[in-house]
Amino acid sequence: MSSSPEYKLIYFHARGRAELIRFLFEHLEIQYEDQRMTFEEWPSIKPDTPFGILPILEVHGKQLTSSIGIARMIAEENGLSGSNLLENTEVFGIVSAAEDAWCNIYTARYKQKDKDSTDLKVKELHEDYLPEHIERFEKRAAANGAGWIWGDKMTYADFATYLLFQYVCENTEGAKDKYPKLAKIHAIVESLPKIAKWMKSRPETFA
Ligand SMILES: N[C@@H](CCC(=O)N[C@@H](CS)C(=O)NCC(=O)O)C(=O)O
């Protein structure tokens, strides 16, 4: 008899802010229900959610919010972070810096009043903000020196770096040559067997 998974991840039919959590579940081979809702369904569900936003992770009768808080819990529970509070906070700082970039990406792309403002904001994002921000990740990986964004082992900050760098690669010509340390992390993460399998089998989505 198969039991239902302990975790239910609720998000839109998109990679977005759920993908870091999905990467963790997939890589760690943790069973979860990947519940995806349409944007049409969302307005009727939103009022019953804790903060009117997704993702939510349902576990042990609780509804957890904050994509990076949820990722932090899974990573720390499963050896994909540091080994004490100070280290965990350092690792989380990197994940949080990636989330700062995502806030700017979503604001530029989806929260402008019209197409002209969107085009302008996206141009600024791609030409000014993102190159500066991703350079900090590159410098950090170079300073760390061990082939990871933090420490001498893979952490969920490498997954967060991968996902942000993937966006940069999709929107910047020659990104892998410009940011060679990030390109290496990117290559390692996407060749992890469970991640590679997930990326082949996951639903096609616009973002
Ligand atoms: N800090 C939150 C932000 C969550 C967030 O803004 N989610 C967006 C989608 S990525 C959302 O639910 N938007 C729907 C809405 O605002 O109605 C997190 O990381 O989980």
Side-chain angles (χ1 to χ4, degrees):
M1 201 173 65
S2 71
S3 57
S4 56
E6 191 179 342
Y7 295 109
K8 188 204 267 189
L9 177 62
I10 307 167
Y11 193 60
F12 300 103
H13 187 48
R15 297 185 301 278
R17 283 189 167 99
E19 201 62 9
L20 176 59
I21 302 168
R22 295 192 188 110
F23 264 39
L24 285 164
F25 281 146
E26 297 292 335
H27 176 69
L28 293 163
E29 297 187 279
I30 295 171
Q31 296 285 311
Y32 68 107
E33 186 186 336
D34 189 15
Q35 186 180 303
R36 293 165 182 248
M37 69 177 64
T38 63
F39 291 108
E40 291 71 39
E41 288 170 303
W42 173 235
S44 65
I45 292 159
K46 182 177 167 99
D48 296 326
T49 63
F51 292 105
I53 46 172
L54 298 175
I56 288 171
L57 186 71
E58 288 186 355
V59 54
H60 301 313
K62 291 195 186 296
Q63 288 197 316
L64 306 182
T65 56
S66 172
S67 56
I68 57 176
I70 293 165
R72 179 176 190 162
M73 174 188 78
I74 301 162
E76 290 182 5
E77 255 182 4
N78 291 282
L80 282 175
S81 187
S83 50
N84 57 47
L85 184 59
L86 188 70
E87 289 186 1
N88 287 345
T89 305
E90 259 191 302
V91 179
F92 183 72
I94 298 167
V95 176
S96 177
E99 167 58 13
D100 289 345
W102 285 114
C103 284
N104 283 302
I105 293 168
Y106 295 135
T107 301
R109 296 184 78 103
Y110 307 120
K111 295 196 175 161
Q112 302 306 311
K113 60 180 184 332
D114 55 37
K115 187 176 177 314
D116 285 350
S117 327
T118 304
D119 290 348
L120 181 66
K121 285 280 173 205
V122 169
K123 189 171 181 300
E124 286 169 3
L125 174 82
H126 290 173
E127 291 179 5
D128 303 327
Y129 172 79
L130 266 184
E132 247 182 60
H133 199 61
I134 206 71
E135 182 64 35
R136 295 189 187 104
F137 280 76
E138 175 71 13
K139 281 197 178 132
R140 199 168 175 117
N144 185 45
W148 306 108
I149 194 76
W150 178 91
D152 59 2
K153 62 171 198 163
M154 189 173 75
T155 64
Y156 73 125
D158 293 296
F159 289 3
T161 300
Y162 170 89
L163 291 165
L164 180 60
F165 189 55
Q166 177 60 30
Y167 179 89
V168 172
C169 290
E170 283 163 14
N171 294 284
T172 317
E173 216 164 294
K176 288 188 180 161
D177 297 326
K178 274 189 203 144
Y179 310 107
K181 303 288 180 207
L182 299 185
K184 273 195 186 149
I185 292 171
H186 187 273
I188 294 173
V189 170
E190 72 181 6
S191 65
L192 294 167
K194 300 290 177 284
I195 297 293
K197 184 171 167 227
W198 168 243
M199 290 200 300
K200 263 195 214 127
S201 62
R202 71 186 170 187
E204 278 282 328
T205 53
F206 76 100

